[in-house]
């Protein structure tokens, strides 16, 4: 019987995000046993919506933007995944990000499927009012897919608590409900969770602690390199400093900084807050963008965008441990190079899962209208993440495989078992 290609107008190349996702699925197929019968379902997003977003600009012009919302797999629960605003957003990228959310939610055993959304726009070119109109129209257009028990968006690159507040309010206006459970990552005053803002970066640090313990690496005094100083990278950098580590290199879109004695992270973040970039920050040497990848370290945290750790860079990195703060930062070819060089890589689907775990807590708290202390949130996140990582570490040992393979195997077994138990409709 013929199976037709999924979204046949998309032909991913090997290092593109969707190509990377498919390559990982291929690599774990031998570990699925009888569940392999259902594996094709993971190579096909369940549904993908493309929307036109016309908005009136402040000068009276009408501008059109393209937006997306993809449900990759909903076998284990409603879709969950962020919304990205970036000039480089494409349907293919959103499909990959949705796929990784399916895997991530299953890897840490949250009752969610995988979804993601985005708008192809450079938000820095918009005024606040334009950004609000864009967000509200996008929310309205994807309204047929989202809802507290269907698909719950959250922040991602270039979106934040304010954007979530506008999304929630738009849903509330359209449905006549309070709509708190529609999105997570909201301001705390609107039903957000304490600890959500810092959860992803803190989670990267929790995973760093767990791996370090297992490979005999002392975080006190360890040298750490971080790419990306946004929501994930900045919080992770601060947390490693609290562990006594030194941040020896930092990179954002504007600059790469190096200081073997340790960058003053608080000062660097304050400089970025003031000027919008790390460029011109005192107390560290500005280095070439490519030289950044050769800085000697014990831990390397790519926490910017996908595809940044290429095979060429992987051959040059001098580190023991890569913690993927970003989604999909390591290309499949780079993964092979790092494995050959004996560098431990903790994949995104577990390393950055702290954010979605606390988003889950936010959703639960909104249903109950009963809110937890930040300490409770952080403790419960640590406990789920630590338990999930232990399971993945043991699976990797049993299979004699990488942590990425193990995480995908654990997650795909859960997703495909759910598919098998539910049966195929009709
Ligand atoms: P952000 O917009 O807050 O920060 C992104 C950072 O990356 C910025 O410092 C930016 O300057 C830097 N950057 C962008 N392009 C770069 C380039 N070419 N070279 C160097 N630096 C560059 O975004 P974020 O929320 O921190 O997300 C970062 C990554 O983490 C993304 O892959 C995102 O999908 C992933 N992630 C985020 C969350 C979350 O809770 N925010 C959760 C899980 C995964």
């Amino acid at each position: 019987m013929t199976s037709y290609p999924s979204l046949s107008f998309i032909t991913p190349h090997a290092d593109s995000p969707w190509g990377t996702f498919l390559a990982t699925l291929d690599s774990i197929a031998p570990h699925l046993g009888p569940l392999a019968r259902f594996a094709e379902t993971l190579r096909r997003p369940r549904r993908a919506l493309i929307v036109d977003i016309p908005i009136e600009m402040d000068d009276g012009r009408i501008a059109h933007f393209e937006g997306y919302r993809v449900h990759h797999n909903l076998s284990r629960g409603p879709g969950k995944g962020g919304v990205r605003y970036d000039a480089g957003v494409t349907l293919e990228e959103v499909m990959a990000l949705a796929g990784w959310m399916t895997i991530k939610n299953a890897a840490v055993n949250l009752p969610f499927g995988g979804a993601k959304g985005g708008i192809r726009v450079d938000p820095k070119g918009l005024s606040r009012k334009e950004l609000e109109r864009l967000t509200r129209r996008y929310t309205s257009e994807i309204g047929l897919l989202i809802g507290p028990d269907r698909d719950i968006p959250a922040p991602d690159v270039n979106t934040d608590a304010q954007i979530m507040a506008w999304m929630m309010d738009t849903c509330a206006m359209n449905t006549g409900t309070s709509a708190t459970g529609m999105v997570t990552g909201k301001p705390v005053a609107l039903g957000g969770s304490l600890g959500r803002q810092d959860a992803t970066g803190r989670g990267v640090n929790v995973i760093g602690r767990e791996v370090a313990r297992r490979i005999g690496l002392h975080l006190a005094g360890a040298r750490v390199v971080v790419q990306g100083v946004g929501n994930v990278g900045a919080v992770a950098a601060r947390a490693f400093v609290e562990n006594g580590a030194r941040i020896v290199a930092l990179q954002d879109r504007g600059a790469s900084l190096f200081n073997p004695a340790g960058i003053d992270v608080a000062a660097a973040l304050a400089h970025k807050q003031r000027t919008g970039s790390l460029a011109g920050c005192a107390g560290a040497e500005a280095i070439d963008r490519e030289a950044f990848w050769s800085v000697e370290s014990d831990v390397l945290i790519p926490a910017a965008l996908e595809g940044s750790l290429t095979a060429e860079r992987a051959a040059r990195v001098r580190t023991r441990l890569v913690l993927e703060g970003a989604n999909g930062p390591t290309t499949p070819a780079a993964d092979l190079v790092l494995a050959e060089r004996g560098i431990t890589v903790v994949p995104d689907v577990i390393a950055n899962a702290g954010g979605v775990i606390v988003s889950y807590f936010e959703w639960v708290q909104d249903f109950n209208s009963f809110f937890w202390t930040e300490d409770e949130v952080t403790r419960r996140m640590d406990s789920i993440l630590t338990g999930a990582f232990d399971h993945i570490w043991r699976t990797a040992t049993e299979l004699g495989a990488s942590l990425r393979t193990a995480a995908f195997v654990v997650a795909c077994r859960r997703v495909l078992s759910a598919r098998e138990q539910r049966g195929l409709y009709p």
Side-chain angles (χ1 to χ4, degrees):
M1 182 60 78
T2 318
S3 247
Y4 293 94
S6 165
L7 293 175
S8 49
F9 56 93
I10 286 177
T11 42
H13 62 85
D15 282 353
S16 70
W18 184 243
T20 300
F21 179 71
L22 294 182
T24 316
L25 289 180
D26 287 343
S27 71
I28 60 120
H31 300 290
L32 294 178
L35 290 172
R37 180 168 166 248
F38 298 97
E40 178 69 15
T41 196
L42 296 169
R43 304 180 63 85
R44 296 161 179 268
R46 171 149 177 187
R47 50 175 80 96
L49 179 66
I50 305 176
V51 296
D52 173 42
I53 311 160
I55 60 163
E56 185 172 358
M57 306 298 276
D58 294 345
D59 63 6
R61 279 179 307 123
I62 306 292
H64 288 257
F65 299 91
E66 191 164 291
Y68 314 95
R69 188 74 193 169
V70 173
H71 288 173
H72 175 261
N73 189 289
L74 305 180
S75 294
R76 302 181 69 254
K80 186 91 194 78
V83 175
R84 175 174 294 194
Y85 289 178
D86 193 81
V89 166
T90 61
L91 174 60
E92 189 197 325
E93 180 186 49
V94 177
M95 282 161 53
L97 291 164
W100 283 317
M101 287 310 297
T102 298
I103 302 298
K104 189 181 305 182
N105 289 327
V108 293
N109 215 0
L110 300 182
F112 291 131
K116 201 84 180 191
I119 304 178
R120 194 182 314 148
V121 59
D122 176 8
K124 293 189 177 67
L126 298 185
S127 70
R128 185 180 160 87
K129 275 285 156 203
E130 289 164 345
L131 195 59
E132 179 176 350
R133 287 196 284 273
L134 180 84
T135 301
R136 288 186 181 279
R137 182 61 188 253
Y138 168 70
T139 308
S140 195
E141 292 298 332
I142 64 165
L144 44 151
L145 293 191
I146 61 176
D149 53 5
R150 292 195 294 173
D151 171 12
I152 308 109
D156 190 69
V157 174
N158 291 329
T159 56
D160 57 14
Q162 177 59 70
I163 304 266
M164 295 305 115
W166 289 327
M167 289 188 78
M168 177 192 126
D169 186 67
T170 304
C171 293
M173 293 301 115
N174 285 346
T175 59
T177 63
S178 64
T180 46
M182 298 285 297
V183 290
T184 59
K186 300 180 293 295
V188 172
L190 297 180
S193 177
L194 292 170
R196 171 63 186 89
Q197 182 97 6
D198 288 355
T200 308
R202 276 190 190 148
V204 171
N205 183 247
V206 167
I207 294 294
R209 179 195 73 204
E210 289 303 302
V211 191
R213 202 160 60 72
R214 288 168 169 86
I215 64 172
L217 169 68
H218 295 289
L219 288 185
R223 296 156 304 170
V224 180
V225 166
V226 184
Q227 186 205 27
V229 284
N231 192 21
V232 181
V235 176
R238 273 204 312 260
F240 278 93
V241 169
E242 281 164 21
N243 298 147
R246 270 177 293 150
I247 309 298
V248 292
L250 271 182
Q251 183 182 73
D252 74 353
R253 219 187 274 266
S256 306
L257 303 180
F258 171 63
N259 183 345
I263 294 169
D264 181 342
V265 172
L269 295 179
H271 177 89
K272 185 169 167 89
Q273 179 83 21
R274 258 195 331 273
T275 66
S277 161
L278 288 178
C281 178
E285 182 191 339
I287 56 169
D288 178 74
R289 297 196 72 71
E290 282 307 319
F292 168 85
W293 295 98
S294 309
V295 171
E296 199 169 344
S297 67
D298 300 294
V299 184
L300 169 65
I301 306 175
L305 293 180
E306 60 269 14
S308 58
L309 188 44
T310 58
E312 189 274 322
R313 290 170 177 167
R316 286 191 285 121
V317 298
R318 291 186 291 164
T319 195
R320 285 182 69 183
L321 172 62
V322 174
L323 297 176
E324 292 188 337
N327 286 313
T330 311
T331 66
D335 223 12
L336 292 176
V337 174
L338 295 171
E340 271 165 23
R341 295 187 56 209
I343 297 171
T344 304
V345 179
V346 185
D348 44 11
V349 292
I350 179 78
N352 69 27
V356 73
I357 292 172
V358 178
S359 270
Y360 165 58
F361 295 163
E362 181 173 333
W363 181 72
V364 168
Q365 291 171 81
D366 285 335
F367 272 124
N368 292 314
S369 298
F370 182 76
F371 292 88
W372 310 347
T373 64
E374 183 158 359
D375 187 48
E376 274 173 299
V377 167
T378 307
R379 245 183 322 105
R380 286 177 162 160
M381 186 265 277
D382 193 313
S383 154
I384 291 184
L385 209 43
T386 305
F389 181 73
D390 184 60
H391 185 44
I392 289 167
W393 181 271
R394 281 186 289 108
T395 305
T397 309
E398 276 161 31
L399 300 177
S402 69
L403 290 168
R404 189 184 313 280
T405 298
F408 266 68
V409 168
V410 166
C412 290
R413 282 177 182 162
R414 286 185 180 140
V415 175
L416 298 178
S417 296
R419 163 90 347 273
E420 183 180 39
Q421 284 160 10
R422 292 173 68 140
L424 269 188
Y425 177 86

